[in-house]
Amino acid sequence: LFIALMRHLAMQATFPRLNNLYSSSIKEFHQLAMQLEIIMSGIAVPIMFIIGIFSNSIINILYGNDYIEATKAMPYLLASVAILYSSFVFPNLLNVVGKSWGYFKITLSAAIVNVIFNYIFIPKMGIAGAALGTVVAEITILIISFLLTKHITRFRFFPLFAPTIFGTISMFLLV
């Protein structure tokens, strides 16, 4: 939650500047978006690694041994935060270019996907199944918002979120 809040505050603080740059200098717009992503990834990925490595201890300290089962969901939840983190830039860029309607459709699609996958995974996997359903929904948001934003802005995005994707995959495999 802290990581997502940081990301949200950073985007809100830079939104007016991104908006102006989109109208006046596409090159500077791209540079600022890249810098923002690199800085935020540099903060978020290490925090998620630490949480992933010490998840058993964190759950035990905060909630006691009765909730240690929650650690089964932790890799999925950390992955979903990282995916959310990566996909957060795209809807904001849609707002910058005046296409905010797209984000509603993307969110609605992901909510439907989440309900379907929860129905499938929760009976089989419990809390980890619910977390996996969230990961699938976040991947849906990432892919659809990426494609829509790329189509509208013609911006090469892979360098923008490559560090977060690499960090997420590494963390998921280690935890």
Side-chain angles (χ1 to χ4, degrees):
L1 183 60
F2 171 74
I3 296 168
L5 178 62
M6 261 182 14
R7 177 69 175 200
H8 180 72
L9 292 174
M11 286 304 293
Q12 293 304 316
T14 57
F15 180 83
R17 179 82 175 131
L18 283 168
N19 198 19
N20 289 338
L21 288 175
Y22 186 75
S23 302
S24 63
S25 173
I26 293 295
K27 184 178 178 183
E28 288 182 47
F29 169 77
H30 290 174
Q31 288 174 340
L32 180 58
M34 294 278 284
Q35 289 171 350
L36 182 63
E37 183 63 27
I38 289 167
I39 291 168
M40 297 306 288
S41 295
I43 294 168
V45 171
I47 290 171
M48 287 186 287
F49 266 117
I50 291 167
I51 292 171
I53 290 169
F54 297 107
S55 61
N56 284 351
S57 298
I58 292 169
I59 296 290
N60 196 21
I61 290 168
L62 293 177
Y63 304 106
N65 205 29
D66 292 341
Y67 291 93
I68 207 69
E69 280 291 310
T71 58
K72 291 178 181 177
M74 192 65 81
Y76 300 110
L77 294 173
L78 290 172
S80 83
V81 168
I83 295 164
L84 170 73
Y85 197 83
S86 294
S87 66
F88 191 78
V89 73
F90 304 122
N92 281 287
L93 293 179
L94 289 173
N95 288 335
V96 166
V97 300
K99 304 289 185 187
S100 58
W101 55 264
Y103 189 54
F104 171 75
K105 292 179 183 177
I106 293 166
T107 304
L108 182 62
S109 300
I112 293 168
V113 166
N114 194 17
V115 168
I116 292 168
F117 278 85
N118 281 346
Y119 182 76
I120 294 168
F121 290 130
I122 289 175
K124 296 176 184 175
M125 299 171 62
I127 190 171
L132 182 56
T134 300
V135 170
V136 174
E138 292 300 337
I139 289 170
T140 302
I141 290 173
L142 176 65
I143 291 170
I144 296 172
S145 63
F146 168 77
L147 294 173
L148 184 59
T149 306
K150 183 178 179 190
H151 173 73
I152 292 170
T153 65
R154 306 283 186 228
F155 185 30
R156 285 186 44 226
F157 282 107
F158 185 71
L160 185 66
F161 63 94
T164 306
I165 290 174
F166 176 74
T168 302
I169 292 169
S170 301
M171 177 202 54
F172 192 75
L173 293 174
L174 289 174
V175 177

